[in-house]
Amino acid sequence: MTAAAHLEDQPLVTRNDEDGIATIILNRPTKFNALSMAVLEALLSELTKLEEDRSVRVVVLAGEGKAFCAGHDLKEMREDTSREAMQELFGKCSEVMLKISQIPQPVIARVHGIATAAGCQLVATCDLAIAVEEARFATSGINVGLFCSTPMVALTRNVTPKKAFEMLVTGDFLDAQTALQYGLINHVVPAEKLDETVMDMARKIASKPAVSIAYGKQLFYKQLEAARAAAYDMAAETMTCNMLTEDAQAGVDAFIAKQPMPAWKGR
């Protein structure tokens, strides 16, 4: 068996858990972690499991090999160009993206190499993103005649409209510093600092009360798409529910009494 064949026999998505942090790894390195239908299904399965896993407080999404994710598998797409196949593929991809936003745990993208097309969409969809200095980002579908319509949904919720449109119609690559300026990612670090920086952020979030984080994440995306008055209504209801939790009441009591914060109970 060749090395490439051996790699293709490995799980398409792997998961490692440590101290309340689940690292989900796209494991198709010979294909730059391209999102085949099988990869999307495996990723959706892991995300769905995480939704009810109270032991996990933070999720890290990473890629094996030289790239974070090169987007959809174009060779697979050409094998069946029927309308039904295309609808199934892009529908599954949208389901994965929505699930990232729906799970209660914050998701941090750990980005190295390239993140192109649907790979850039993954970065934009994650709640947070940390990239190495050498990382490159693009919605490059237009270069092969395919406007990145589904990546556009996530992109335009991170990047200003004119910058997003420029990315979409030129297909040009952004370096990591430009992606940082555009608001696509949170931090840029040297390659040797990537894991340390990602885990420092993950541990910091994991130390906070999970129930409050879950309430906050759910509200964050709902209020972004609501009118201002409706957003305040939703926020007031969320604050009410949050304040009624045992963690919030214990935390406020400790603050008033100038005592150390209690051990959080979790979701």
Side-chain angles (χ1 to χ4, degrees), residues 85-104:
M86 294 299 97
Q87 286 180 325
E88 183 181 11
L89 175 64
F90 296 126
K92 183 64 66 176
C93 185
S94 297
E95 192 176 354
V96 168
M97 302 300 165
L98 287 170
K99 185 61 72 175
I100 290 172
S101 298
Q102 290 165 354
I103 65 173

Side-chain angles (χ1 to χ4, degrees), residues 140-154:
S140 50
I142 197 65
N143 294 334
V144 297
L146 185 64
F147 193 89
C148 281
S149 299
T150 45
M152 178 179 66
V153 175

Side-chain angles (χ1 to χ4, degrees), residues 2-196:
T2 66
H6 174 72
L7 285 172
E8 286 298 310
D9 286 340
Q10 302 302 306
L12 294 172
V13 173
T14 63
R15 172 177 165 180
N16 301 315
D17 288 25
E18 182 180 352
D19 298 330
I21 301 165
T23 301
I24 305 300
I25 305 171
L26 303 176
N27 189 36
R28 206 181 178 207
T30 61
K31 303 294 184 181
F32 298 99
N33 298 314
L35 298 176
S36 64
M37 178 62 82
V39 170
L40 289 169
E41 289 174 341
L43 182 54
L44 182 61
S45 175
E46 289 298 337
L47 291 167
T48 301
K49 293 174 188 174
L50 285 164
E51 197 165 20
E52 299 300 326
D53 191 337
R54 293 177 178 269
S55 70
V56 175
R57 292 172 174 264
V58 183
V59 178
V60 174
L61 182 61
E64 189 64 63
K66 295 181 179 180
F68 175 72
C69 177
H72 286 296
D73 187 330
L74 297 180
K75 287 185 178 179
E76 181 185 78
M77 289 170 63
R78 290 298 294 150
E79 291 172 1
D80 184 350
T81 59
S82 67
R83 182 180 184 86
E84 292 75 19
M86 294 299 97
Q87 286 180 325
E88 183 181 11
L89 175 64
F90 296 126
K92 183 64 66 176
C93 185
S94 297
E95 192 176 354
V96 168
M97 302 300 165
L98 287 170
K99 185 61 72 175
I100 290 172
S101 298
Q102 290 165 354
I103 65 173
Q105 303 95 337
V107 182
I108 305 170
R110 175 199 178 280
V111 188
H112 72 292
I114 59 169
T116 54
C120 188
Q121 181 183 5
L122 267 180
V123 174
T125 300
C126 288
D127 306 301
L128 300 158
I130 299 172
V132 298
E133 295 167 339
E134 298 80 9
R136 296 293 182 268
F137 306 82
T139 47
S140 50
I142 197 65
N143 294 334
V144 297
L146 185 64
F147 193 89
C148 281
S149 299
T150 45
M152 178 179 66
V153 175
L155 186 70
T156 55
R157 283 159 171 77
N158 287 248
V159 176
T160 58
K162 283 185 169 57
K163 294 298 187 184
F165 196 78
E166 181 179 353
M167 290 178 65
L168 291 160
V169 297
T170 66
D172 288 347
F173 278 75
L174 305 181
D175 60 31
Q177 285 296 337
T178 303
L180 178 65
Q181 293 168 12
Y182 280 15
L184 183 59
I185 58 179
N186 296 84
H187 301 282
V188 178
V189 298
E192 63 271 17
K193 293 287 187 179
L194 180 59
D195 287 327
E196 177 186 345

Side-chain angles (χ1 to χ4, degrees), residues 220-264:
F220 183 83
Y221 292 106
K222 285 185 176 180
Q223 64 86 26
L224 278 177
E225 300 179 2
R228 186 174 302 183
Y232 271 116
D233 286 343
M234 289 187 288
E237 176 62 19
T238 298
M239 287 285 284
T240 299
C241 293
N242 192 171
M243 188 57 203
L244 293 175
T245 64
E246 184 178 349
D247 274 347
Q249 292 179 17
V252 170
D253 287 347
F255 178 83
I256 292 170
K258 298 182 179 180
Q259 297 293 321
M261 285 295 113
W264 306 119

